[in-house]
């Protein structure tokens, strides 16, 4: 048995030889091809397009590998596309193991690895931009589009459609478990590519599913499944809060034996659970119950996945995003409802959504059966229980007072359940859109841009009224580009046949990573580097260009409005006027006027930025100005269920700061702030930064995997990066300065009561200061490095934070010790106040 599938490439790649070589390779690895896999692979090696619509767990990934093998044998470049970067990177590493590192590359917009390789893993948007930039001449011989049902996504569906329109010479393999009727795509692909198109479908799952509608309360249903040998059980909810609440409610069930709980504790070891949700999760998993949703920190999701994979968790409560990145064994899926809130209204699940969730039940190679249980609504269950209790007695039945559904409740019944089980997924609908970046890419293509655009606009999958709308938008965008001087007409075609061309050079991924990064560069030039607020202003510029963390901003606004209500009440403002004034209260938006004015000017010369919304906000800046660490910030805004959202935002902003801000614009305070942010993210959960490094340095990542596999131990010591650690210490000390300035002795006591500095001690210590001075400064100078004195020793730093008094005497301050070993264990600066006095 050889290490690489490339060693099996036949000299004569005829269909029979190719199929024989690949099927022999799979057999030697213990895989027996299912009939649908075999049919799809025969069609692929024969050169046909293939639409593969088979259930989850039916081995579509193996068909993809076979497709890449066939393309490699014919000397054609093949592309594997997926909807999210995490799946792209996962497939990249997987294909490297099969085909070797030299033959596989990756493009995600954030990074590019071995981009000239014959097999490329990329996001759908990357391939769409290649198709727009080069059209039929693109070096794309084959496209394997995974999760093709994303074609219907309103915001992103265009990226799944464009390659079908613009790559007529490519062979397509479209895959999903929930495609529905694909007769349109079968005819369309054949017309465009001149290849026959085979539709391979199979309702038969490797692990058959049994469906049941439960009229028992959830805890009884779950107990029955656990004791009936149908674990692991995944209980699906349609909100993160509901998933956590359910997990806590199910603590009443004895999920795991004493021995199993001991095994869980041993597997967890000294894994670092932070305050807040971490403590809740620690209690749950030690009881044998996992929680899994997108709002969690990545390290928590990974812990739950690893405990589940080890067979230690029999019950997991999570959200319906089972198909995106989740990697846990599931035998039984329990749906808590058949309705969900889609951002606008509460509605029934679509057939595609139902089958995507249900399809996760049953583990190929482990289970002989999978189970899908749908819970009836709570009021229906209570009524059924009352009827059962009444038995056959007509009098008792008449006396039953039936419980009604809550007001506004969208009901579902057993008929709803049966309809969804029997229903085919809804037909995929076109989500084609026209953008500035689309026109820029097409105009940059050799040849007649007007003919290229006419084809794109008149021969897409939209109906004629929609096409007319797209044509009008394209004309308006073209005129704006022309007026801005970004595009110019040519009197005669140039050497590449262009009659219109760009006057600017576009980087390949200009619209893929942070499309407003060039604007951020221009806006930073408007700032004065010698300003005390320069570092934080640069952060505000960058924050305005990254995606909004909606849950965080919502909580910021909620807190701001509550504080405004309290102030208005204290001022005696009437209710109606208060409500009117609250409309103007929102989350903090530093530099809002400056940024919008700069954006308006910038857009005149760069009209394509109109596709992207500038969004001033303050999360990183807010956290830094409040001198809070991650846990304090979560507690301050009540973000326990959105820790993962906040961390991803902080990590994304850190990456944007590193990559966007030029080195000559990074002053010492700004560099300190960037280092602080990176270390803060790393100490909370290093997996996001590790993922970036894995993408940028895949060879190193593979070595790490082979040497130790995936680890649950913590991040590197927080004291290792001395520059970042100094900022952490400064922030901890300045937090106490801010509280002292507000004379908030209760909060100071909460911080330092354990070391003897309770509220009374702080008040006694500061009474002499306030007898001499009216206030403690908290401006930029007050938090600067000049007022923090540090004496490093081997295991402890002795520090003194000097107060910025009005007279500038700088004779008062807070003395403290920083325990370095305790700081490494905590992942944060551990401060012990020793004195508050005048020197």
């Amino acid at each position: 048995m050889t290490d690489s599938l490339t060693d099996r490439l036949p000299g004569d790649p005829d269909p029979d030889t190719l199929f024989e070589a690949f099927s022999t390779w799979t057999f030697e690895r213990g895989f027996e091809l299912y009939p649908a896999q075999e049919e799809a692979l025969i069609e692929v090696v024969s050169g046909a397009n293939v639409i593969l619509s088979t259930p989850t767990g039916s081995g579509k990934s193996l068909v993809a590998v076979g497709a890449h093998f066939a393309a490699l044998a014919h000397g054609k470049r093949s592309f594997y596309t997926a909807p999210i970067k995490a799946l792209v990177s996962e497939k990249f590493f997987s294909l490297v193991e099969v085909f070797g590192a030299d033959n596989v590359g990756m493009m995600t917009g954030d990074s590019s690895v071995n981009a000239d390789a014959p097999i490329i893993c990329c996001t759908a948007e990357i391939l769409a931009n290649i198709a727009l930039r080069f059209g039929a001449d693109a070096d794309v011989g084959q496209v394997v589009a995974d999760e093709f049902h994303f074609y219907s996504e309103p915001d992103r569906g265009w990226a799944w459609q464009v390659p079908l329109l613009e790559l007529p010479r490519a062979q397509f393999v479209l895959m999903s478990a929930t495609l529905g009727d694909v007769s349109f795509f079968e005819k369309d692909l054949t017309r465009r590519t001149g290849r026959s198109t085979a539709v391979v479908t199979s309702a038969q799952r490797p692990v058959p599913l049994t469906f049941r509608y439960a009229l028992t309360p959830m805890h009884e249903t779950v107990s029955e499944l656990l004791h009936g040998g149908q674990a692991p059980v995944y209980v699906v909810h349609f909100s993160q809060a509901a998933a956590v609440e359910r997990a806590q409610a199910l603590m009443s069930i004895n999920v795991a034996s004493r021995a199993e709980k001991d095994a869980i504790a041993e597997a967890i070891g000294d894994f670092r659970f932070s305050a807040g949700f971490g403590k809740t999760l620690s209690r749950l998993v030690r009881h044998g119950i996992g929680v899994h949703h997108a709002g969690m920190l990545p390290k928590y999701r990974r812990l739950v996945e690893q405990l589940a994979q080890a067979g230690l968790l029999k019950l997991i409560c999570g959200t319906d995003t089972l198909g995106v990145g989740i990697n846990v064994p599931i035998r039984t899926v329990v749906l808590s409802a058949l309705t969900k809130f889609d951002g606008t209204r509460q509605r029934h699940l679509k057939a595609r959504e139902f089958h995507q969730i249900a399809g996760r039940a049953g583990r190929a190679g482990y289970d002989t059966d999978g189970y899908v249980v749908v819970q009836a609504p709570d009021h229906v269950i209570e009524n059924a229980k009352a009827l059962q209790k009444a038995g056959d007695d007509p009098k008792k039945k008449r006396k039953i007072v039936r419980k009604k559904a809550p007001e506004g409740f969208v009901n579902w019944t057993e008929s709803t359940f049966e309809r969804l089980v029997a229903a085919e997924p809804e037909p995929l609908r076109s989500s084609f859109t026209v953008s500035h970046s689309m026109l820029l890419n097409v105009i940059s293509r050799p040849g007649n841009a007007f003919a290229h655009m006419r084809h794109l606009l008149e021969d897409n999958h939209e109906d004629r009224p929609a096409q007319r709308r797209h044509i009008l938008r394209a004309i308006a965008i073209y005129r704006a580009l022309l007026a801005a001087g970004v595009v110019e007409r040519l009197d005669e075609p140039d050497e590449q046949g262009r009659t219109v061309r760009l006057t600017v050079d576009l980087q390949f991924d200009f619209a893929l990573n942070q499309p407003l990064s060039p604007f951020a560069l221009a806006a930073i030039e408007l700032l004065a580097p010698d300003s005390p607020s320069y570092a934080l202003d640069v952060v505000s510029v960058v924050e305005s260009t990254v995606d909004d963390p909606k849950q965080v901003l919502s909580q910021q606004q909620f807190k701001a409005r509550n504080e405004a209500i309290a102030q208005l009440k204290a001022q005696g403002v009437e209710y109606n006027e208060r409500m009117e004034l609250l409309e103007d209260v929102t989350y903090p938006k530093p530099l809002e006027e400056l940024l919008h004015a700069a954006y308006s000017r910038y857009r005149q010369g760069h009209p394509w930025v109109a596709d992207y919304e500038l969004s001033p906000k303050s999360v990183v800046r807010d956290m830094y100005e409040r001198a809070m660490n991650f846990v304090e910030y979560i507690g301050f805004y009540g973000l326990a269920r959105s820790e993962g959202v906040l961390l991803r935002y902080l990590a994304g902003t850190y990456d944007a700061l590193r990559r966007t801000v030029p080195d000559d614009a990074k002053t010492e305070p700004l560099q300190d702030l960037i280092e602080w942010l990176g270390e803060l993210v790393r100490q909370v959960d290093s997996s996001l930064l590790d993922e970036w490094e894995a993408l940028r340095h895949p060879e190193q990542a593979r070595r790490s995997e082979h040497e130790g596999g995936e680890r649950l131990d913590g991040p590197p010591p927080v004291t290792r990066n001395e520059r970042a650690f100094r900022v952490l210490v400064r922030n901890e000390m300045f937090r106490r300065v801010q509280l002292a300035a507000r004379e908030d002795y209760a909060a100071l006591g909460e911080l330092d009561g354990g070391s003897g500095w309770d509220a009374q001690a702080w008040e006694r210590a500061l009474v002499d200061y306030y007898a001499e001075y009216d206030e403690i400064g908290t401006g930029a100078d007050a938090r600067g490095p000049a007022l923090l004195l540090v004496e490093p020793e081997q295991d402890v730093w002795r520090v003194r934070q000097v107060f910025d008094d009005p007279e500038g005497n700088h004779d008062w301050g807070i003395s403290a010790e920083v325990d370095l070993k305790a700081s490494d264990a905590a992942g944060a600066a551990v401060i012990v106040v020793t004195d508050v006095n005048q020197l």
Side-chain angles (χ1 to χ4, degrees), residues 334 400 415 603 687:
V334 178
I400 293 174
S415 297
R603 191 170 60 187
S687 59

Side-chain angles (χ1 to χ4, degrees), residues 12 29 35 56 72 101 151 159 209 226 251 392 429 448 471 508 512 528 539 546 582 647 666 725:
D12 179 17
R29 276 153 181 73
T56 303
L72 203 58
Y151 170 94
L209 293 182
L226 293 174
M251 288 274 284
D392 296 328
R429 299 191 180 280
N448 188 324
I471 290 168
F508 172 70
L512 291 173
V539 169
V546 298
L582 281 181
L647 184 74
K666 290 177 180 173
F725 187 63

Side-chain angles (χ1 to χ4, degrees), residues 672 675-676 679 718 721-729:
D672 283 349
E675 290 289 329
W676 160 79
E679 196 59 35
V718 70
N721 184 339
E722 184 173 324
R723 182 173 197 163
F725 187 63
R726 277 181 177 266
V727 180
L728 290 173
V729 171

Side-chain angles (χ1 to χ4, degrees), residues 59-79:
K60 289 184 285 294
S61 293
L62 194 59
V63 174
V65 172
H68 292 304
F69 177 69
L72 203 58
H74 285 286
K76 293 181 178 179
R77 201 164 189 231
S78 59
F79 282 71

Side-chain angles (χ1 to χ4, degrees), residues 646-666:
L646 175 61
L647 184 74
R648 281 191 291 276
Y649 177 82
L650 297 178
T653 305
Y654 168 63
D655 195 45
L657 282 165
R658 285 200 306 172
R659 290 155 61 100
T660 301
V661 182
D663 287 340
D664 59 5
K666 290 177 180 173

Side-chain angles (χ1 to χ4, degrees), residues 291-309:
V291 176
H292 198 286
H293 62 70
M296 293 167 60
L297 295 179
K299 68 177 182 180
Y300 291 157
R301 291 203 308 274
R302 194 170 66 254
L303 172 68
V304 170
E305 290 168 9
Q306 291 180 317
L307 292 175
Q309 287 159 3

Side-chain angles (χ1 to χ4, degrees), residues 568-803:
L568 293 170
K569 278 184 176 178
Q571 294 167 9
V573 178
E574 294 296 325
Y575 175 81
N576 289 337
E577 188 180 350
R578 286 204 307 266
M579 293 302 101
E580 190 176 328
L581 290 170
L582 281 181
E583 292 298 316
D584 297 326
V585 178
T586 183
Y587 51 85
K589 298 179 181 180
L591 307 185
E592 182 178 18
E593 289 186 13
L594 171 83
L595 287 167
H596 279 304
Y599 179 71
S600 296
R601 289 197 301 274
Y602 186 82
R603 191 170 60 187
Q604 291 171 11
H606 307 79
W608 61 84
V609 301
D611 289 342
Y612 311 99
E613 187 176 350
L614 189 74
S615 178
K617 51 189 169 291
S618 178
V619 177
V620 172
R621 180 171 184 156
D622 185 44
M623 182 181 289
Y624 190 81
E625 287 184 319
R626 293 182 186 278
M628 288 183 172
N629 60 35
F630 187 84
V631 172
E632 289 169 339
Y633 199 75
I634 289 288
F636 184 73
Y637 283 113
L639 293 165
R641 294 195 181 107
S642 303
E643 289 179 334
V645 174
L646 175 61
L647 184 74
R648 281 191 291 276
Y649 177 82
L650 297 178
T653 305
Y654 168 63
D655 195 45
L657 282 165
R658 285 200 306 172
R659 290 155 61 100
T660 301
V661 182
D663 287 340
D664 59 5
K666 290 177 180 173
T667 60
E668 284 293 312
L670 177 56
Q671 191 62 55
D672 283 349
L673 195 153
I674 294 172
E675 290 289 329
W676 160 79
L677 181 58
E679 196 59 35
L680 183 146
V681 170
R682 192 172 286 109
Q683 292 301 320
V684 172
D685 187 339
S686 64
S687 59
L688 288 173
L689 303 188
D690 292 344
E691 184 179 312
W692 289 343
E693 293 308 314
L695 294 179
R696 290 167 188 162
H697 307 288
E699 289 298 332
Q700 183 178 335
R702 282 197 295 279
R703 267 200 313 274
S704 175
E705 283 182 7
H706 287 309
E707 288 167 3
E710 193 170 15
R711 305 176 326 185
L712 282 178
D713 54 3
V718 70
T719 58
R720 184 189 65 170
N721 184 339
E722 184 173 324
R723 182 173 197 163
F725 187 63
R726 277 181 177 266
V727 180
L728 290 173
V729 171
R730 191 191 313 158
N731 281 357
E732 286 294 331
M733 296 299 289
F734 191 69
R735 175 103 170 102
R736 289 157 173 82
V737 172
Q738 288 177 316
L739 294 172
R742 296 201 299 266
E743 299 181 57
D744 191 344
Y745 302 120
L748 285 165
E750 286 180 23
L751 277 175
D752 299 309
S755 57
W757 282 82
D758 58 14
Q760 290 75 22
W762 271 101
E763 188 171 4
R764 283 195 302 272
L766 287 169
V767 70
D768 291 338
Y769 174 89
Y770 280 113
E772 188 172 349
Y773 301 111
D774 293 334
E775 62 180 6
I776 299 175
T778 57
D781 292 336
R783 74 178 306 147
L787 295 187
L788 179 70
L789 310 177
V790 179
E791 295 179 16
E793 296 183 15
Q794 185 173 356
D795 295 322
V796 68
W797 284 5
R798 303 190 192 284
V799 300
R800 182 165 177 84
Q801 176 67 57
V802 178
F803 289 160

Side-chain angles (χ1 to χ4, degrees), residues 523-524 527-528 531-543 590-591 594-595 621 625 670 673:
I524 288 170
L527 305 176
S531 166
S533 64
Y534 173 76
L536 289 171
D537 290 343
V538 171
V539 169
S540 291
V541 169
V542 172
E543 284 200 81
L591 307 185
L594 171 83
L595 287 167
R621 180 171 184 156
E625 287 184 319
L670 177 56
L673 195 153

